[in-house]
Amino acid sequence: MHKLTQKEVFKDLNLEKIDFYLLNTVDSTNTFAKETPLKKDYLIVISEEQTAGRGRQGKQWYSPDAGNIYMSIRLKNNSPTPLSLIVGLLISEAMDSVSGQKINAGLKWPNDLLINNKKVCGILIESEINGDNNEFIIGIGINYSLPQKESWWGDIGELADILPREKLINSILKKITFYAENGYQNWKSAWEKRCIHMGKEIKAISNNQNDYELGKFKGINEDGKMLLKTRNELKIISSGECSIKGIY
Ligand code: BTN
């Protein structure tokens, strides 16, 4: 298998602003990035394999050495826009721009990416206080090759010719660094356009998975919170995840 190279991954990026680690194996690129102080504008950690990959809500992220993407970006972000939603949007856009096609990977609140109704990418955002600064660690996992252990797991192996891993990483890095430096004006409508469950009946599930609420997804507000029309009211939901019948 073709291993990632510095030349391809960081093509046309300003390495004066970036500290990076390209690893063969690591427990978790997010953990590594959390433990490594930010000395430049960005710290980027990419590994071919993770032995203790972490997902949202304390779940594991299955991370074999199989040509998938496991990457973390540590940065400062003082913008009020919700990083977790923006990152999903930028990755969906990166897939279109690298392939030159409208792949239109769908967004599922808050930040899963789906193709053909299967999850192909997960995002885990963590923060770390450093003096007066709030720093964020954006963890991105994109699957190219994965055994079908869960019905809702998918991968983009079939698209590998038009979405080569190194080009996709490069494009995501360019988009995230551009966003960090310039913001994203119409992110909310761009996010809603790519969302797969606008106006649909969904189940909003709390973080501890114990409570849920049924309703119609009415989009998001400026903070990235979910607007859910239940039988009685329009609710604003800030955390947890959602589930769509027949998908997951
Ligand atoms: C999710 O549960 O959907 C989020 C998955 C995030 C996985 C990525 S892989 C790179 C980074 N390192 C980790 O341990 N997790 C994130």
Side-chain angles (χ1 to χ4, degrees):
M1 197 221 318
H2 174 76
K3 288 222 187 280
L4 294 168
T5 64
Q6 173 189 336
K7 201 170 152 226
E8 292 168 329
V9 167
F10 296 106
K11 188 168 183 282
D12 300 330
L13 279 148
N14 180 358
L15 286 180
E16 281 173 13
K17 294 184 177 179
I18 301 174
D19 269 331
F20 65 87
Y21 295 83
L22 270 183
L23 309 170
N24 280 320
T25 187
V26 70
D27 50 358
S28 147
T29 56
N30 259 40
T31 309
F32 188 99
K34 260 180 149 255
E35 289 167 353
T36 310
L38 184 64
K39 298 211 187 93
K40 297 188 182 170
D41 288 0
Y42 308 99
L43 167 71
I44 296 171
V45 186
I46 304 175
S47 185
E48 296 288 347
E49 172 194 66
Q50 297 183 115
T51 53
R54 294 185 287 113
R56 295 178 69 234
Q57 302 178 329
K59 290 185 204 148
Q60 274 189 348
W61 186 257
Y62 183 61
S63 312
D65 182 356
N68 299 319
I69 296 176
Y70 313 115
M71 160 162 87
S72 299
I73 302 141
R74 179 167 179 163
L75 42 65
K76 292 189 197 94
N77 181 47
N78 299 317
S79 140
T81 43
L83 194 56
S84 91
L85 274 78
I86 298 267
V87 170
L89 171 62
L90 295 177
I91 297 173
S92 180
E93 292 181 347
M95 288 183 177
D96 289 358
S97 72
V98 169
S99 66
Q101 300 181 13
K102 285 241 160 295
I103 293 192
N104 257 328
L107 299 171
K108 178 171 172 291
W109 191 89
N111 57 19
D112 287 355
L113 263 83
L114 286 77
I115 293 182
N116 297 330
N117 288 340
K118 306 268 186 205
K119 174 164 171 173
V120 299
C121 167
I123 298 163
L124 173 69
I125 308 230
E126 299 180 291
S127 61
E128 188 75 17
I129 310 271
N130 182 6
D132 290 339
N133 271 320
N134 215 3
E135 297 178 359
F136 291 88
I137 294 120
I138 304 170
I140 300 169
I142 302 178
N143 290 322
Y144 278 77
S145 145
L146 208 65
Q148 280 292 267
K149 284 196 185 162
E150 304 278 358
S151 60
W152 43 273
W153 284 7
D155 64 54
I156 56 171
E158 281 185 9
L159 301 174
D161 286 347
I162 55 168
L163 274 187
R165 184 164 77 125
E166 58 286 352
K167 291 216 169 106
L168 183 55
I169 294 177
N170 181 257
S171 173
I172 293 170
L173 291 176
K174 282 184 185 150
K175 286 186 185 290
I176 290 180
T177 52
F178 185 86
Y179 160 72
E181 289 161 27
N182 303 284
Y184 189 141
Q185 275 272 312
N186 300 315
W187 70 272
K188 195 171 96 69
S189 61
W191 191 93
E192 288 179 341
K193 251 186 222 147
R194 285 175 189 257
C195 171
I196 57 165
H197 48 75
M198 280 296 289
K200 295 212 170 113
E201 294 293 333
I202 62 152
K203 189 174 180 177
I205 309 165
S206 69
N207 263 334
N208 59 19
Q209 310 269 321
N210 287 337
D211 304 307
Y212 69 87
E213 194 104 45
L214 295 171
K216 202 177 251 186
F217 185 86
K218 290 294 208 182
I220 51 178
N221 69 10
E222 288 297 329
D223 302 326
K225 293 179 181 166
M226 169 197 309
L227 306 175
L228 188 74
K229 178 93 179 63
T230 65
R231 267 171 52 162
N232 311 314
E233 57 184 324
L234 186 66
K235 282 203 150 186
I236 298 178
I237 297 183
S238 57
S239 64
E241 56 187 5
C242 73
S243 148
I244 313 155
K245 219 178 175 174
I247 302 186
Y248 71 90

